[in-house]
Amino acid sequence: LDSPQTMEREMSRIESIFPDAVEQQLIRGLEFPDTTGQTTALSSTIDYGMFGIELVSFKIPSISSGTLPKVQLYKDCVYTAVSGIDLVLNIARWNYEKKGTPRIADTGSCQAFLDGTHLGVTLTPQKVRKEDGNEEEIVWKPVECNVSVENVRVVFGTSKASWLYNALSVLFVDKIGVLAEKALQKCLVDNIVPTLLLRLNGTLSESHNENHPSPVGTSMENPMDI
């Protein structure tokens, strides 16, 4: 950009808008598919499933906590992130079935607590000429998005097979963590970043949208393929 003052102004705008976009679109755009699979635990084959997964609540750290928001300036881009987000998911039904003898199966509901969630996006500025051709404006374009979840905890109801509880807990924690990161990545790419760009660029973000690649840091996999 042509001056430090311009960059400072733009970084201040990003710093203000990104947390609002995160809060708005986590409510509207975070969706979880039902998932089933098979794994091995305690030398046995176990089929499992999780159904009716919904976001119950989330908490974004306040600005006063010092963890929100972050904007970092690099040579050709800006990185902004919100860290320390805590989410609570309700899993309406989970089930498992242990193959072999003795056959053991159970079903129930649970809640998952995702602590220390991080959402970040790298943006690069470009100058484009206005339609009248007389002035240039700054247009921000996404380069990369990244998501991480620091810790996952699961609270189950009573299980018939208490001796399987610890193995099941590890199993579901792992699967929920992977599922949640993929759902958050999709929400970030499909909902949060477009909202950020629309507020940063206005109508320019749509007219120049086809000129930049999808803002993903890693290839998006189907959330069902866990």
Side-chain angles (χ1 to χ4, degrees), residues 99-110:
K99 304 290 187 179
T101 304
R103 174 187 173 275
I104 298 174
D106 199 1
T107 188
S109 61
C110 64

Side-chain angles (χ1 to χ4, degrees), residues 39-42 46 156 161-173:
T39 190
T40 301
L42 301 179
I46 295 177
F156 289 92
S162 58
W163 62 275
L164 270 177
Y165 180 81
N166 287 334
L168 286 173
S169 178
V170 172
L171 164 67
F172 281 101
V173 163

Side-chain angles (χ1 to χ4, degrees), residues 17-33:
I17 294 171
F18 185 59
D20 287 343
V22 169
E23 183 172 13
Q24 180 186 41
Q25 295 303 325
L26 280 181
I27 296 171
R28 298 180 182 178
L30 188 58
E31 299 179 346
F32 300 87

Side-chain angles (χ1 to χ4, degrees), residues 125-140:
Q126 295 184 5
K127 283 189 175 183
V128 298
R129 193 165 296 279
K130 289 185 178 181
E131 291 184 1
D132 59 19
N134 294 325
E135 295 183 34
E136 289 185 330
E137 287 189 329
I138 298 167
V139 170
W140 289 96

Side-chain angles (χ1 to χ4, degrees), residues 4 15 18 23 29 40 60 78 83 94 120 129 134 149 151 154 162 165-166 170 173 179 186 193 200 211 214 220:
E15 186 177 53
F18 185 59
E23 183 172 13
T40 301
I60 298 178
V78 166
S83 299
W94 59 266
R129 193 165 296 279
N134 294 325
V149 178
N151 185 54
V154 180
S162 58
Y165 180 81
N166 287 334
V170 172
V173 163
L179 185 71
K186 189 174 190 305
V193 169
L200 284 174
N211 295 329
S214 176
M220 287 291 290

Side-chain angles (χ1 to χ4, degrees), residues 1-151:
L1 299 182
D2 50 9
S3 71
Q5 292 78 14
T6 301
M7 178 57 81
E8 184 176 346
R9 183 185 69 244
E10 290 297 310
M11 290 180 64
S12 179
R13 293 178 64 223
I14 295 170
E15 186 177 53
S16 172
I17 294 171
F18 185 59
D20 287 343
V22 169
E23 183 172 13
Q24 180 186 41
Q25 295 303 325
L26 280 181
I27 296 171
R28 298 180 182 178
L30 188 58
E31 299 179 346
F32 300 87
D34 294 340
T35 183
T36 59
Q38 189 176 85
T39 190
T40 301
L42 301 179
S43 301
S44 300
T45 299
I46 295 177
D47 292 332
Y48 67 89
M50 294 180 286
F51 310 93
I53 307 172
E54 294 182 334
L55 177 66
V56 175
S57 63
F58 65 90
K59 182 179 179 182
I60 298 178
S62 64
I63 293 176
S64 62
S65 70
T67 60
L68 172 70
K70 289 182 182 177
V71 179
Q72 298 173 349
L73 175 62
Y74 297 95
K75 181 180 179 181
D76 299 315
C77 62
V78 166
Y79 179 75
T80 184
V82 177
S83 299
I85 307 171
D86 297 332
L87 302 97
V88 180
L89 308 180
N90 187 64
I91 301 172
R93 182 170 65 89
W94 59 266
N95 59 34
Y96 74 86
E97 179 183 356
K98 174 186 169 293
K99 304 290 187 179
T101 304
R103 174 187 173 275
I104 298 174
D106 199 1
T107 188
S109 61
C110 64
Q111 282 197 324
F113 299 85
L114 282 59
D115 303 325
T117 300
H118 173 96
L119 305 176
V121 58
T122 301
L123 302 167
T124 184
Q126 295 184 5
K127 283 189 175 183
V128 298
R129 193 165 296 279
K130 289 185 178 181
E131 291 184 1
D132 59 19
N134 294 325
E135 295 183 34
E136 289 185 330
E137 287 189 329
I138 298 167
V139 170
W140 289 96
K141 296 189 176 184
V143 177
E144 186 176 63
C145 295
N146 67 295
V147 171
S148 64
V149 178
E150 185 175 310
N151 185 54

